[in-house]
Amino acid sequence: MRPFGGRLLFLLAGLAACSPDRPVNLQPTPANGDILRLIEEIGFRGPVAIVTATPIEDGHRRATKRSLMVPPAQRDAFGAALRAHPAAAARLTLALQQADEITDPNQIDSLNNTRRDSLQVLVAPSILNRPASAGGPVENLVQFSLEFLDIDPNGNIFFVPGGDIDSLLLMARIHSAGHYHGDSLLEDTLPRRVGRFDPRTGSFTTAFQTTWHVPEFSQEINHTIRLTERGGPNDGQTRFFFNVFPYASRVTGLHRIPPGGATYVRTGGTTEHPEDFNDWAVQPLIDAIVSFATAYNQARGDVVRVNDLSLFFGGRFDVGRASTVNGVTVLTPCHEGDLQSCWGNANGHQEHRLGTEADLNLTTNTLLNRAGFYRLLLSHFQSVYPEGNHWHVRDAASIYNPPR
């Protein structure tokens, strides 16, 4: 992942106070005045989009947050400016650091992050969209206000007074969440995967307003904007903007189960989702697995195999299946009306979205081991179901548990 060519982050708003000798097209707020001064302090001279985002989850507004976007061709220059001015960069990062959680994806998805950087990446907010099988889906929203800075011919930063948004595009970082059963990259723009902007185009004065309809899925997001300026020193010029920080919807409170050892091992990782990306769950489920594995190992001397828990961002474990029709690769996305195409039986991967379910198996498959394994499962987990060559277990917090 390229930290400064990355995705977007849900972050806050306002626009900056400028000195009288600078061309000013609107009255900015003091908060963005700090952002503007820090951008100037790190020495970056290029167009910038300031993004205000207000998540609305289950009808409730969350804190408004702010992020920056820069043209794709200037991502490296922006990153270099930050590294060259660490004190100002720290203040700028702090001004934007209003996320619920701070995560370095390089520590989690190393096979898909080919470029490293010492700066942390923000991922927020945490959005929980319930599957239809659990009383949903709930379509959460994020209200955006986009305002733009540009550089006039004299090198001064000014606020773009208006313009036309020619396009807004949402793309998921490939394999950032959800197993994909195929080798095509079709899943990156599936609306069911990334959602949609409404509106995606339109004219604006001062700021462009739009709403992201968040799908029932969790992922890292790329967000691009094509803008044609109207008015101001650069009237008629077209700009492309790309996310500076990662932007994601995710399930909160998930932790990675430790690698294991004498009592259990983790299994089932793929190239797209190594073990450290697959094995995330709420802490009570992790504690139950560790306790169960210890008890089983003491009773039978065997090792528990821990397969799928949930993905790092939560959400749909499977994205879809690929098939070839007349030489063309077609992706059939997983959805609630066609579970068989991706998940198979009723207790399959339509769960595993919220960190409250796991697939467990034994290593030495004897009759006595199976009997002891199953008996201990029943004493450690809320629900236990045989599922092919393993058992599907649920934590007490699982929304899929049958009523008692």
Side-chain angles (χ1 to χ4, degrees), residues 52-364:
T52 303
T54 304
I56 302 174
E57 302 175 32
D58 282 340
H60 301 289
R61 283 181 173 270
R62 294 188 53 160
T64 295
K65 301 173 185 291
R66 176 173 54 212
S67 69
L68 302 179
M69 302 180 73
V70 298
Q74 294 182 291
R75 297 188 306 243
D76 290 342
F78 187 81
L82 287 171
R83 289 187 290 271
H85 300 84
R91 293 195 297 275
L92 178 60
T93 300
L94 183 63
L96 298 173
Q97 209 171 81
Q98 301 180 37
D100 297 307
E101 301 177 55
I102 301 173
T103 303
D104 180 1
N106 291 320
Q107 298 176 0
I108 295 152
D109 191 11
S110 59
L111 292 184
N112 287 308
N113 290 307
T114 57
R115 177 178 171 182
R116 306 304 182 89
D117 194 275
S118 60
L119 294 177
Q120 284 188 318
V121 181
L122 296 174
V123 181
S126 300
I127 288 183
L128 176 58
N129 284 347
R130 293 189 297 272
S133 53
V138 176
E139 183 184 68
N140 292 321
L141 307 173
V142 182
Q143 294 180 337
F144 283 96
S145 177
L146 302 161
E147 299 178 85
F148 303 91
L149 303 174
D150 204 353
I151 307 299
D152 69 16
N154 296 319
N156 297 311
I157 298 178
F158 70 95
F159 292 98
V160 176
D164 301 320
I165 298 297
D166 303 314
S167 66
L168 280 171
L169 181 62
L170 286 162
M171 295 183 294
R173 182 165 73 87
I174 299 301
H175 305 310
S176 70
H179 285 283
Y180 176 57
H181 302 272
D183 57 2
S184 170
L185 304 182
L186 295 174
E187 79 270 25
D188 64 343
T189 56
L190 283 176
R192 197 180 295 278
R193 176 168 165 78
V194 300
R196 62 186 173 87
F197 274 127
D198 183 21
R200 291 183 59 248
T201 60
S203 299
F204 72 94
T205 301
T206 301
F208 182 71
Q209 313 294 328
T210 188
T211 299
W212 180 27
H213 295 252
V214 185
E216 194 278 301
F217 198 98
S218 301
Q219 70 283 299
E220 287 184 56
I221 288 291
N222 280 330
H223 179 196
T224 63
I225 300 172
R226 175 187 166 103
L227 160 73
T228 301
E229 297 183 24
R230 302 300 180 198
N234 297 336
D235 181 56
Q237 291 194 17
T238 297
R239 305 291 188 197
F240 290 89
F241 294 92
F242 196 83
N243 304 90
V244 170
F245 293 113
Y247 188 24
S249 62
R250 63 170 293 186
V251 176
T252 55
L254 301 189
H255 304 275
R256 182 172 49 192
I257 189 170
T263 62
Y264 73 88
V265 294
R266 303 183 306 177
T267 66
T270 68
T271 301
E272 292 81 11
H273 295 286
E275 287 301 329
D276 285 346
F277 197 83
N278 271 4
D279 297 325
W280 291 74
V282 296
Q283 193 61 46
L285 179 60
I286 293 174
D287 294 342
I289 292 172
V290 173
S291 175
F292 162 76
T294 300
Y296 173 69
N297 180 259
Q298 290 174 347
R300 302 300 310 163
D302 196 24
V303 178
V304 174
R305 296 169 61 83
V306 179
N307 196 347
D308 299 331
L309 279 77
S310 291
L311 298 173
F312 169 64
F313 289 107
R316 292 176 185 262
F317 210 97
D318 292 309
V319 174
R321 290 190 183 276
S323 58
T324 301
V325 180
N326 297 326
V328 177
T329 300
V330 177
L331 177 66
T332 301
C334 297
H335 59 88
E336 300 293 341
D338 186 20
L339 300 182
Q340 189 64 37
S341 67
C342 293
W343 295 311
N345 62 52
N347 298 317
H349 282 162
Q350 68 265 37
E351 300 184 17
H352 294 275
R353 302 184 189 188
L354 307 177
T356 52
E357 297 82 36
D359 292 337
L360 305 177
N361 204 350
L362 41 71
T363 298
T364 306

Side-chain angles (χ1 to χ4, degrees), residues 380-404:
H380 281 79
F381 301 98
Q382 185 81 9
S383 303
V384 179
Y385 296 93
E387 190 176 77
N389 65 349
H390 60 266
W391 282 266
H392 178 83
V393 301
R394 297 174 181 148
D395 178 70
S398 173
I399 58 178
Y400 302 99
N401 282 316
R404 287 193 165 186

